[in-house]
């Protein structure tokens, strides 16, 4: 399937995201948060906290983790696992940085988990 | 003779109940290898907490939850448990016991812990199906089954056990009547006044009472159908529960020729008339006394274990007895004497009928000898402590009835308990028999830091939970004191650092640290970036310390303060424009209505702070909504900020016939001075135009109440989870004075409260006298605080909405990065 479409999608430059910050990427229904750490590492997760679906892209980024703005679950950016004692996972999406451009793995968008609550609100 | 493994002595315990197993547990701690232990139990269960059967009946706990020693405990400790095979005979001369199942075992030491049997009145009908006692798991199972099929229950006996049975059955949906022989309930534990309050409360909960009721017969042919009283009254019932009391179970001992009276006679060493045989619990009689409460059982277990372990000095004395009724929401406590015995005794009583609180203390000379508490039992443990110590209460006498806090105890400790003053052997957890000393030792030995750990390792507060506050206080007492001794500091700000809030702030000022990186470097932060707890705090402390110099870090702000709107549970935002002093105009209302329609904002709501909330706005819509509101002159209301929220006002002298001053105008002027400020937590203000206080100024962080003579300024109120009424700060004469005091107060709060500390807990911490000293007594300092406040305001009074809607500040916040998929 990966062969049918380009492997990587260029979604923007690293300087479009503030250090220790995040931006969202519009997808065909799949909310994705792209994070930039203080060390210019880039990570991408489904923009939904495994707890109550809070937008991780709005959380405070420190080190390689983000704290969900709704109830302060701390999620590891590298892999998307919630830090103990909480348990859960925000699916990670493969991402690479080439010449300060950010690319997301295209095959991650094969199966869409549906719109976010906010996006549902848009159609209501 | 084998010198390496001398034969261990054989200890047989008859009775697998609370007193017997407590003794075994204490013995294992003292002399783990001394005995081979065999335990006989008549019931087929492991040892469970009989006290909590009422909680099982009421559906508040499961049977599993009241097990004290699971079967694994017996295995781990090498104890041979023979449950469900009762001992039927004892040959004391030969030192052998025989069980119903044909076992014959020899012992070197025997412990009788056979407990008690329910008392049954001498009346016909006791054998009918539908009649049971309230003594063991089988009884509770009978009662629960009856509650599923039958409608009506009669409980014979209005003591502790009977009332708990009645309440449990009521909770199970039955209609319940209690027949009690005496004129008042729980007459052995309660005086008449408390008993009447209790009966009134239970009556309100739907339990019917037949006091002065002597049961003559249980009616019914095939099964129980009701009871008939001596005065001819008949009470119909599908279930009859006998709960008139207990008597020691002494049959086995008596047949074996051991001395018995009402109970098995024991001395202070808890030995029976046979030197090899000990006895503990409800089966014993000591100094003419028999026992039905838990505290003396634990004490007997402790002494008996010491004796078995070879401590010949251990001697039992009955501790002060106290009783608590375990009915949810009904607080009854009783200890010692119920009333003055003679003219030499005094009683102190306190009665608040409306709150349903009653307290009686019985004094003998300068000693407390009895306490009956109803409705408010928080100080029960303290009174027992005073009784146990025989403390001289002469100096406390006038405040004694109001409890430990009023009498000068440590108010920070819950349940009125002074941990430091508490004896090491004071029983903290009655359910599991855990003393203060044992909790302290376990915390220290195992380095425990949480209540859950203490519970897991000691079982203290693991059963009924009534002692949770005390256990927590002990934990704080030990760990807190140790931490304080080790570091001399307040608790750490977050896991990134050892330093507390105050230390960090001092360092920022003294070392002139002007960036987060500088703070983290100077104070040895463990994480290079900090974390979501310390970053917002440091950002605030730096903003407050270096106005105009420190550049705010949006990446260290919670989303609401970064986006200038309140995130909702579905990820949308709410938008609240400022309405100065709660005033608005037709043009503003029209602009709000137009924006709501244009952007299809789903919900429009009036807030508690006298303004209008637009709910359900998507993030990318925010700049356009703000632009439309800005055009009508509406600016951010900072409803999302740890900063000034609102100044609520009443209409005041302009319109109100009671108004003494222009409260609305003053509110607007205060809001104009204060808007945009960042504070440790949110700040809500109010101005009322007269003492009728329609703006609810007395539950605000700062309130102004206008009077004819001027303005009363009150501070530190809160209307949230923990309501706190303001403290009076000062009365001033002019509006200019009000503004100066408000600015100075807010600046003091900004500079000295810890991040996320509201004014109410801050003032509770530092004391209103300190605030008065700084704001009222010291006028030059007040003016300096006010000046510093105005200076910092110069840099923040910029509408953040306009910056974002028109000047593109933080534009990346409101647009997606790109598109994929």
């Amino acid at each position: 399937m990966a062969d049918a479409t380009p492997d990587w999608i260029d979604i923007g430059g690293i300087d479009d995201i503030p250090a220790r910050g995040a931006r969202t990427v519009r997808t065909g229904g799949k909310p994705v948060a792209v994070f930039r750490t203080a060390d210019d590492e880039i990570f991408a997760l489904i923009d939904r906290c495994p707890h109550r679906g809070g937008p991780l892209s709005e959380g405070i980024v420190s080190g390689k983790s983000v704290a969900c703005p709704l109830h302060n679950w701390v999620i590891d950016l590298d892999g998307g696992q919630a830090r103990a004692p909480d348990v859960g996972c925000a699916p990670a999406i493969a991402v690479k940085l080439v010449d300060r451009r950010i690319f997301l793995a295209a095959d991650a968008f094969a199966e869409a988990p549906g719109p976010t609550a906010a996006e549902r609100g848009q159609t209501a | 003779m084998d010198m390496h493994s001398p034969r261990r002595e054989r200890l047989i315990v008859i009775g697998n109940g609370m007193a017997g197993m407590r003794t075994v547990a204490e013995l294992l701690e003292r002399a783990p290898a001394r005995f081979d232990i065999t335990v006989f139990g008549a019931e087929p269960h492991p040892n469970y907490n009989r006290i909590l059967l009422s909680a099982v009946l009421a559906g508040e706990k499961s049977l599993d939850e009241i097990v004290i020693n699971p079967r694994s405990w017996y295995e781990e400790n090498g104890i041979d448990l023979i449950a469900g095979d009762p001992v039927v005979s004892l040959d004391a001369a030969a030192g052998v016991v025989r069980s119903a199942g044909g076992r014959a075992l020899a012992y070197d030491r025997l412990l009788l812990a056979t407990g008690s049997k329910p008392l049954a009145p001498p009346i016909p009908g006791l054998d009918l199906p539908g009649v049971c006692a309230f003594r063991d798991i089988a009884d509770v199972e009978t009662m629960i089954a009856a509650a599923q099929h039958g409608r009506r229950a009669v409980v014979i006996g209005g003591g502790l056990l009977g009332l708990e049975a009645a309440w449990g059955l009521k909770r199970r949906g039955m209609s319940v009547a209690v027949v009690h022989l005496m004129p008042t309930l729980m007459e052995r534990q309660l005086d008449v006044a408390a008993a009447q309050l209790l009966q009134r409360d239970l009556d309100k909960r739907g339990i019917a009472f037949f006091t002065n009721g002597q049961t003559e017969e249980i009616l019914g042919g095939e099964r129980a159908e009701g009871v008939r009283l001596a005065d001819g009254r008949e009470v119909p019932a599908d279930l009859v529960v006998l709960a008139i009391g207990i008597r020691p179970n002494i049959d086995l001992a008596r047949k074996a020729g051991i001395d018995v009276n009402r109970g098995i006679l024991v001395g202070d060493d808890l030995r029976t008339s046979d030197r090899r045989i000990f006895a503990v619990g409800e089966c014993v009689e000591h100094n003419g006394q028999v026992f039905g409460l838990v505290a003396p059982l634990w004490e007997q277990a402790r002494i008996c274990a010491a004796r078995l372990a070879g401590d010949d000095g251990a001697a039992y004395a009955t501790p002060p007895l106290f009783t608590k009724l375990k009915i949810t929401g009904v607080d009854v406590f009783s200890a010692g004497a119920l009333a003055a015995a003679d003219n030499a005794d005094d009683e102190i009583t306190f009665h608040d009928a409306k709150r349903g609180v009653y307290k009686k203390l019985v004094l003998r000379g300068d000693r407390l000898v009895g306490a009956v508490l109803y409705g408010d039992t928080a100080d029960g443990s303290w009174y027992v402590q005073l009784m146990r110590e025989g403390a001289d209460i002469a100096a406390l006498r006038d405040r004694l009835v109001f409890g430990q806090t009023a009498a000068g105890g440590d108010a920070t400790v819950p349940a009125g308990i002074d941990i430091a003053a508490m004896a090491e052997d004071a029983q903290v957890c009655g359910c599991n028999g855990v003393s203060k000393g044992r909790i302290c030792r376990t915390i220290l030995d195992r380095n425990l830091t949480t209540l859950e750990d203490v519970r897991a390792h000691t079982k203290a507060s693991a059963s009924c939970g009534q002692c949770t506050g005390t256990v927590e206080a002990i934990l704080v007492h030990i760990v807190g004191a140790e931490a304080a001794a080790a570091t001399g500091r307040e608790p750490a700000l977050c896991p990134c650092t050892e330093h507390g809030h105050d230390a960090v702030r001092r360092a920022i000022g003294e070392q002139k640290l002007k960036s987060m990186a500088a703070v983290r470097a100077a104070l040895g932060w463990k994480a290079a970036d900090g974390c979501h707890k310390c970053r917002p705090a440091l950002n605030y402390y730096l903003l407050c310390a270096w106005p105009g110099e420190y550049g705010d870090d949006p990446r260290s702000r919670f989303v609401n303060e970064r986006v200038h709107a309140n995130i909702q549970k579905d990820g949308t935002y709410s938008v609240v424009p400022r309405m100065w002093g709660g005033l608005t105009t037709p043009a503003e209302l029209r602009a709000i209505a137009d924006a709501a329609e244009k952007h299809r904002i789903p919900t429009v709501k009036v807030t508690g702070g006298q303004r209008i909330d637009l709910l359900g706005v998507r993030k990318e819509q925010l700049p356009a909504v703000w632009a439309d509101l800005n055009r009508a002159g509406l600016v951010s209301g900072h409803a999302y900020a740890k900063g000034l929220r609102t100044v609520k006002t009443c209409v005041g002298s302009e319109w109100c016939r009671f108004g003494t001053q222009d409260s609305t105008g003053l509110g607007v002027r205060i809001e104009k001075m204060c808007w945009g400020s960042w504070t440790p937590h949110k700040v809500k203000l109010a101005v009322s135009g007269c003492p009728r206080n329609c703006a609810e100024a007395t539950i605000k962080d700062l309130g102004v109440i206008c009077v004819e003579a001027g303005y009363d300024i009150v501070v530190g109120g809160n209307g949230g989870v923990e309501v706190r009424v303001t403290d009076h700060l000062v009365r001033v004469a002019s509006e200019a004075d009000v503004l100066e005091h408000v600015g100075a107060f807010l600046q003091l709060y900004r500079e000295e409260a810890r991040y996320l500390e509201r004014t109410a807990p801050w003032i509770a911490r530092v004391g209103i006298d300190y605030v008065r000293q700084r704001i009222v007594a010291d006028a030059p300092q007040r003016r300096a605080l006010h000046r510093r406040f105005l200076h910092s305001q110069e840099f923040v009074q910029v509408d953040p909405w306009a910056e974002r809607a028109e000047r593109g500040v933080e534009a990346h916040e409101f647009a997606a990065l790109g598109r994929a998929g």
Side-chain angles (χ1 to χ4, degrees):
Chain A
M1 158 171 37
D3 292 334
T5 53
D7 284 339
W8 296 95
I9 302 170
D10 181 342
I11 51 154
I14 189 170
D15 297 319
D16 295 332
I17 306 175
R20 297 190 198 92
R23 298 282 297 272
T24 55
V25 175
R26 282 188 182 283
T27 69
K30 198 170 196 178
V32 173
V34 183
F35 301 88
R36 174 182 173 186
T37 69
D39 303 332
D40 281 355
E41 279 192 274
I42 297 287
F43 298 95
L45 299 175
I46 296 297
D47 191 15
R48 236 183 254 172
C49 179
H51 177 219
R52 294 279 173 84
L56 296 175
S57 56
E58 304 291 9
I60 291 180
V61 176
S62 34
K64 288 185 196 180
S65 70
V66 61
C68 176
L70 292 198
H71 308 95
N72 275 329
W73 276 38
V74 178
I75 309 294
D76 270 323
L77 295 178
D78 195 355
Q81 293 290 340
R83 293 229 173 127
D86 301 321
V87 178
C89 181
I93 290 162
V95 62
K96 68 175 182 181
L97 196 58
V98 178
D99 293 338
R100 299 188 77 76
R101 296 298 298 176
I102 302 165
F103 296 85
L104 291 189
D107 60 355
F109 303 93
E111 204 179 314
T116 61
E119 281 160 353
R120 280 199 303 279
Q122 189 169 21
T123 57
Chain B
M1 190 176 165
D2 183 352
M3 297 299 290
H4 297 291
S5 58
R7 188 183 69 81
R8 292 210 266 188
E9 292 183 85
R10 292 160 301 178
L11 172 65
I12 292 181
V13 182
I14 303 178
N16 182 30
M18 296 171 72
M21 288 312 97
R22 184 80 221 141
T23 309
V24 170
E26 295 262 3
L27 178 58
L28 288 171
E29 282 200 2
R30 286 169 182 269
R34 186 172 182 130
F35 293 100
D36 282 325
I37 302 173
T38 303
V39 175
F40 281 92
E43 286 187 76
H45 307 284
N47 175 33
Y48 60 90
N49 189 337
R50 210 178 285 280
I51 301 168
L52 291 177
L53 282 175
S54 54
V56 174
L57 178 64
E60 291 162 359
K61 285 196 186 295
S62 68
L63 282 177
D64 286 347
E65 285 176 280
I66 69 166
V67 168
I68 299 176
N69 303 108
R71 285 178 197 278
S72 56
W73 177 81
Y74 298 87
E75 285 163 20
E76 284 158 18
N77 289 291
I79 298 167
D80 195 5
L81 172 64
I82 302 170
D85 186 12
V87 171
V88 290
S89 76
L90 161 58
D91 183 343
V96 173
V97 298
R98 289 190 172 75
S99 76
R103 288 182 171 90
L105 293 179
Y107 61 82
D108 300 303
R109 291 279 182 278
L110 180 69
L111 175 61
L112 293 171
T114 48
S116 60
K117 290 176 168 178
L119 265 178
I123 54 172
L126 290 176
D127 300 333
L128 288 170
V131 179
C132 71
F134 182 34
R135 184 65 197 150
D136 56 27
I137 287 179
D139 291 331
V140 170
E141 284 170 346
T142 303
M143 290 161 78
I144 292 173
Q148 278 162 5
H149 304 295
R151 286 191 305 113
R152 294 166 303 192
V154 166
V155 176
I156 301 177
L160 199 63
L161 207 58
L163 294 178
E164 291 183 3
W167 175 238
L169 291 167
K170 182 78 198 161
R171 287 285 298 266
R172 294 255 169 205
M174 297 188 93
S175 68
V176 181
V178 173
V179 176
H180 190 52
L181 189 60
M182 306 302 286
T184 62
L185 302 175
M186 286 179 67
E187 72 284 348
R188 285 167 59 196
Q189 290 93 17
L190 298 184
D191 64 354
V192 172
Q196 283 172 346
L197 283 170
L198 175 62
Q199 184 169 342
R200 188 195 68 183
D201 280 357
L202 293 178
D203 190 68
K204 275 191 211 155
R205 290 167 174 235
I207 296 175
F209 289 95
F210 296 84
T211 47
N212 295 311
Q214 177 159 12
T215 311
E216 207 170 56
E217 182 183 359
I218 297 176
L219 303 169
E222 299 275 298
R223 54 175 297 118
E225 290 169 10
V227 298
R228 181 165 57 235
L229 307 186
D231 59 13
R233 288 180 289 179
E234 288 189 6
V235 189
D238 308 302
L239 172 72
V240 177
V241 178
L242 303 171
I244 59 173
I246 54 172
R247 62 184 172 81
N249 186 3
I250 60 173
D251 300 352
L252 192 68
R254 193 184 58 224
K255 281 190 274 179
I258 295 166
D259 289 351
V260 298
N261 182 32
R262 276 194 296 160
I264 302 168
L265 295 174
V266 293
D268 293 349
D269 54 2
L270 295 165
R271 274 198 166 97
T272 67
S273 55
D274 182 316
R275 298 285 301 165
R276 290 194 292 173
I277 303 178
F278 293 76
V280 292
E282 290 180 342
C283 63
V284 308
E285 178 175 335
H286 175 263
N287 282 348
Q289 194 175 11
V290 294
F291 304 92
L293 296 171
V294 75
L297 268 58
W298 297 141
E299 184 62 9
Q300 290 167 11
R302 195 171 74 81
I303 300 301
C304 185
R307 283 278 177 172
L308 283 167
D311 175 359
D312 291 335
Y316 171 76
T318 299
L321 300 181
F322 61 93
T323 309
K324 278 180 180 174
L325 183 67
K326 288 177 290 302
I327 293 182
T328 310
V330 177
D331 296 320
V332 183
F333 182 94
S334 160
L338 302 184
D342 53 43
N343 285 341
D345 289 359
D346 288 320
E347 293 182 355
I348 299 175
T349 57
F350 170 89
H351 193 172
D352 182 341
K354 191 170 173 196
R355 282 201 303 139
V357 173
Y358 171 81
K359 301 179 184 185
K360 179 204 271 183
L361 303 179
V362 184
L363 306 182
R364 189 160 299 154
D366 290 329
R367 309 270 177 260
L368 181 66
V369 294
V372 176
L373 310 177
Y374 189 87
D376 175 3
T377 57
D379 285 300
S381 311
W382 182 56
Y383 292 134
V384 169
Q385 197 70 26
L386 292 176
M387 290 164 66
R388 178 202 284 263
E389 291 166 355
D392 184 336
I393 51 82
L396 307 175
R397 185 176 172 132
D398 56 340
R399 288 155 292 154
L400 193 63
V401 77
F402 300 107
Q404 185 176 19
T405 308
D410 184 348
T412 63
V413 175
I417 296 161
D418 181 349
I419 300 298
M422 202 170 173
E424 285 299 298
D425 60 350
Q427 189 96 158
V428 172
C429 175
C431 295
N432 296 303
V434 189
S435 66
K436 176 201 167 191
R438 198 157 116 202
I439 296 173
C440 295
R441 280 195 303 279
T442 311
I443 291 171
L444 291 170
D445 291 350
R446 296 178 182 267
N447 265 332
L448 305 182
T449 53
T450 69
L451 179 64
E452 286 66 36
D453 285 345
V454 176
R455 236 178 224 158
H457 285 102
T458 65
K459 293 268 185 268
S461 80
S463 293
C464 80
Q466 276 180 327
C467 62
T468 300
T470 313
V471 177
E472 218 160 11
I474 292 174
L475 180 65
V476 169
H477 179 68
I478 302 243
V479 177
E482 188 191 79
T487 67
R489 295 195 187 105
E490 46 155 350
L493 191 153
C494 78
C496 301
T497 177
E498 306 288 327
H499 299 280
H501 286 264
D502 298 343
V504 170
R505 291 198 95 166
R506 271 196 307 275
I508 288 173
E510 288 165 6
Q511 301 179 38
K512 306 234 178 308
L513 305 174
K514 297 193 177 179
S515 72
M516 257 188 264
V519 175
R520 289 195 289 253
L523 298 178
W525 239 247
K526 292 172 205 158
D529 271 3
C531 69
H532 66 279
K533 290 198 182 92
C534 61
R535 290 239 305 271
L538 293 186
N539 191 54
Y540 168 72
Y541 291 149
L542 290 162
L543 263 181
C544 180
W546 313 113
E549 278 188 74
Y550 172 74
D552 191 13
D553 177 21
R555 306 272 83 74
S556 295
R557 286 200 178 265
F558 182 64
V559 56
N560 289 358
E561 294 186 343
R562 204 179 69 228
V563 179
H564 293 273
N566 292 59
I567 196 164
Q568 304 297 314
K569 68 175 192 178
D570 65 351
T572 65
Y573 293 81
S574 83
V575 170
V576 184
R578 194 166 288 286
M579 287 181 173
W580 306 96
L583 285 177
T584 185
T585 63
E588 285 181 352
L589 290 172
R590 203 172 284 121
I592 289 170
D594 287 345
E597 284 187 345
K598 175 177 163 189
H599 299 284
R600 299 192 183 180
I601 293 168
T603 300
V604 181
K605 176 163 189 329
V606 175
T607 73
Q610 300 187 334
R611 39 209 204 163
I612 292 176
D613 196 353
L614 303 167
L615 290 134
V617 183
R618 282 175 290 111
K619 195 180 181 193
E620 62 270 24
Q621 291 181 298
L622 287 170
V625 173
W626 293 336
D628 287 344
L629 295 172
N630 275 166
R631 268 192 283 283
L634 289 160
V635 297
S636 169
H638 292 86
Y640 45 81
K642 314 244 181 292
L644 179 90
R645 295 284 178 90
T646 60
V647 181
K648 186 172 179 171
T649 69
C650 67
V651 292
S653 58
E654 192 184 359
W655 294 96
C656 178
R657 63 210 162 93
F658 300 114
T660 62
Q661 311 280 359
D662 175 17
S663 52
T664 320
L666 178 57
V668 172
R669 284 184 278 283
I670 292 174
E671 194 162 352
K672 293 274 184 190
M673 175 177 81
C674 302
W675 76 274
S677 59
W678 298 107
T679 43
H681 207 305
K682 60 187 173 186
V683 174
K684 299 176 176 183
L685 274 51
V687 185
S688 280
C690 79
R692 286 170 190 77
N693 191 16
C694 292
E696 297 160 342
T698 46
I699 52 165
K700 295 290 186 271
D701 293 284
L702 182 147
V704 180
I705 300 165
C706 304
V707 292
E708 287 293 347
Y711 306 83
D712 280 326
I713 300 177
V714 294
V715 293
N718 196 318
V721 177
E722 227 173 299
V723 177
R724 183 180 195 271
V725 174
T726 45
D727 294 309
H728 188 262
L729 182 69
V730 64
R731 175 175 291 182
V732 297
S734 71
E735 284 200 356
D737 290 340
V738 171
L739 290 169
E740 183 175 297
H741 282 79
V742 169
F745 174 80
L746 287 181
Q747 187 65 13
L748 187 70
Y749 171 59
R750 296 182 75 231
E751 291 179 2
E752 299 195 357
R754 298 170 186 160
Y755 188 64
L756 296 185
E757 186 174 43
R758 291 285 303 266
T759 59
W762 169 58
I763 290 179
R765 180 163 66 82
V766 302
I768 184 64
D769 289 338
Y770 169 77
V771 179
R772 285 193 191 115
Q773 173 61 35
R774 297 288 305 272
I775 305 286
V776 181
D778 190 341
Q781 188 163 127
R782 172 177 70 243
R783 285 191 282 274
L785 280 164
H786 182 222
R787 270 197 306 278
R788 289 205 292 280
F789 181 73
L790 295 182
H791 173 68
S792 79
Q793 287 296 88
E794 290 169 21
F795 306 98
V796 293
Q797 291 199 327
V798 179
D799 177 27
W801 290 359
E803 285 185 311
R804 283 155 184 76
E806 283 150 35
R807 295 197 282 285
V809 171
E810 296 269 303
H812 59 83
E813 281 290 353
F814 308 100
L817 176 59
R819 213 181 155 85

